[in-house]
Amino acid sequence: MWDGSSGSGVLLHNARVYIGRHRLLFLFGFIIFCFALIHISAKKPLPGRGKMEPSAIHTMFTTFHTVKFYNKPLRKFDEDDVTIAAQVSPNRLARIVEMATEWQGPMSVALYVYSDEDVEELDRYLVKYPALRDVGIHLLYYNETRYPVNNLRNLAVEASLTPWVLILDADFVTSGGMLDYLNSVVRGSDHKTAYIIPAFSTTLPPTKIPRTKRGIISALIDGDAAVVNKNACYKCHNVTDYHTWYFALEPYQVWYRWVYEPFLLFYRDEAPPFREEFKGYGFDKNTWVYNMALLGWDFFVLPEAFITHQPHERTHW
């Protein structure tokens, strides 16, 4: 018989209540783990290399040689500044230059290195583009797996010089004035509140991508922009409630639903790491958000910030 006055009894009772409330999420988590195992077990040639992918066990649990701060920022940033944490492959370095030029704040970027030629290319970029000199750039070396997106994200987050981190992919453009706005949001904020940055996609060239809320709404009306992944995975972003965002003046709370995977601004020291079993494309980010929901994080959508995905050639992860 459970004794409510005993510490162990309280813990057992709380555990049963927690599991009862979240049994569907636990079940989904188990299904996703099985999917990951099947997904990465299918062998096929690695893009442009003529090699076959290794076994699922190697892919899930392999380790990587890393170099933190191959490029260390010269500039000193304020502790409360928001850092963009991004992962990138060598053929996307130009997008990091564009992001750094627009952001003008702290960035932590993890580069996937296939060969010494990739490092030499990085060195040329560092000489040619002054915007990269204040970007923390870290290296993660190829080890016969699919693209290790979550290993790269974890490296970028861990090496961030400030605790408030915004996870982005290299192909996104930030809205105008976003750094100052986000810095004002996080000052004094609860450390288990994650802020959602609405995301859009566009076919417009980089110089014409809207940087204001009014501009992105006009692009949506004209058919030049859309909610990101609206057709490929509607449920991945619909929780953001874009119709509310269009008119919102203050942050508003939303509640997690399965496969939701927004781009989040969060306090690094309280957040779980990305699940490194996931390699390649699929379930790499929404399993992380799912984990945060289980841990009791609150999610708020920010009304005065957004990001826009630039078009690019299809990635073979």
Side-chain angles (χ1 to χ4, degrees):
M1 182 175 180
W2 172 63
D3 178 5
S5 63
S6 69
S8 60
V10 171
L11 289 174
L12 180 60
H13 174 71
N14 288 345
R16 286 172 175 166
V17 170
Y18 183 84
I19 292 172
R21 288 177 178 174
H22 300 285
R23 58 187 180 275
L24 287 178
L25 289 178
F26 280 113
L27 175 61
F28 279 129
F30 176 74
I31 292 171
I32 291 305
F33 177 82
C34 294
F35 175 85
L37 186 61
I38 295 170
H39 174 63
I40 63 181
S41 295
K43 293 186 176 183
K44 62 181 182 180
L46 291 169
R49 287 172 175 79
K51 298 179 181 179
M52 296 302 290
E53 289 186 348
S55 68
I57 296 300
H58 171 77
T59 297
M60 291 180 70
F61 301 112
T62 190
T63 57
F64 297 87
H65 173 61
T66 61
V67 176
K68 284 187 178 180
F69 293 105
Y70 180 82
N71 185 69
K72 189 169 184 177
L74 300 176
R75 179 179 164 193
K76 300 296 183 182
F77 295 101
D78 190 88
E79 179 73 10
D80 290 331
D81 283 350
V82 171
T83 294
I84 287 179
Q87 47 77 29
V88 66
S89 55
N91 64 334
R92 292 281 205 279
L93 278 172
R95 293 291 172 87
I96 295 298
V97 175
E98 296 170 6
M99 183 181 287
T101 302
E102 179 75 32
W103 182 245
Q104 293 291 307
M107 290 177 59
S108 179
V109 176
L111 172 68
Y112 194 36
V113 176
Y114 291 95
S115 67
D116 291 341
E117 286 77 10
D118 295 332
V119 179
E120 293 169 3
E121 180 70 0
L122 172 60
D123 289 339
R124 287 190 285 270
Y125 268 78
L126 289 170
V127 171
K128 185 176 181 180
Y129 298 104
L132 292 181
R133 294 172 189 170
D134 288 324
V135 176
I137 300 179
H138 326 286
L139 311 181
L140 187 145
Y141 282 81
Y142 172 73
N143 192 11
E144 298 185 340
T145 69
R146 290 185 179 182
Y147 188 78
V149 57
N150 279 350
N151 300 76
L152 290 160
R153 283 174 175 150
N154 282 338
L155 176 59
V157 171
E158 290 166 8
S160 168
L161 294 176
T162 69
W164 282 98
V165 175
L166 169 62
I167 284 288
L168 284 188
D169 295 336
D171 296 303
F172 278 92
V173 175
T174 55
S175 55
M178 191 161 136
L179 174 61
D180 290 339
Y181 173 64
L182 296 187
N183 287 348
S184 69
V185 167
V186 302
R187 286 187 172 89
S189 178
D190 182 84
H191 288 176
K192 289 196 72 172
T193 294
Y195 295 101
I196 295 161
I197 313 298
F200 301 91
S201 60
T202 185
T203 56
L204 293 170
T207 56
K208 294 187 177 182
I209 292 177
R211 301 302 202 272
T212 66
K213 185 171 182 176
R214 177 175 292 183
I216 195 66
I217 291 174
S218 295
L220 289 165
I221 294 171
D222 294 339
D224 293 324
V227 172
V228 72
N229 286 340
K230 181 178 180 180
N231 295 325
C233 184
Y234 176 72
K235 291 184 178 180
C236 290
H237 292 275
N238 71 321
V239 174
T240 299
D241 188 2
Y242 283 84
H243 292 291
T244 295
W245 184 81
Y246 300 146
F247 303 100
L249 299 176
E250 299 292 334
Y252 58 93
Q253 188 169 11
V254 295
W255 284 265
Y256 175 84
R257 291 202 297 269
W258 179 241
V259 304
Y260 187 41
E261 56 169 18
F263 289 90
L264 294 180
L265 165 61
F266 62 97
Y267 192 77
R268 173 193 59 198
D269 299 343
E270 296 288 340
F274 288 87
R275 299 298 300 266
E276 294 181 353
E277 303 96 312
F278 290 91
K279 306 290 193 298
Y281 185 82
F283 295 96
D284 49 280
K285 187 151 62 70
N286 60 36
T287 51
W288 174 67
V289 180
Y290 152 81
N291 196 9
M292 294 178 79
L294 281 179
L295 293 172
W297 282 67
D298 293 320
F299 300 98
F300 281 83
V301 182
L302 293 180
E304 299 299 332
F306 64 92
I307 53 177
T308 309
H309 187 263
Q310 302 182 69
H312 59 78
E313 294 181 2
R314 182 175 177 82
T315 301
H316 298 284
W317 281 8

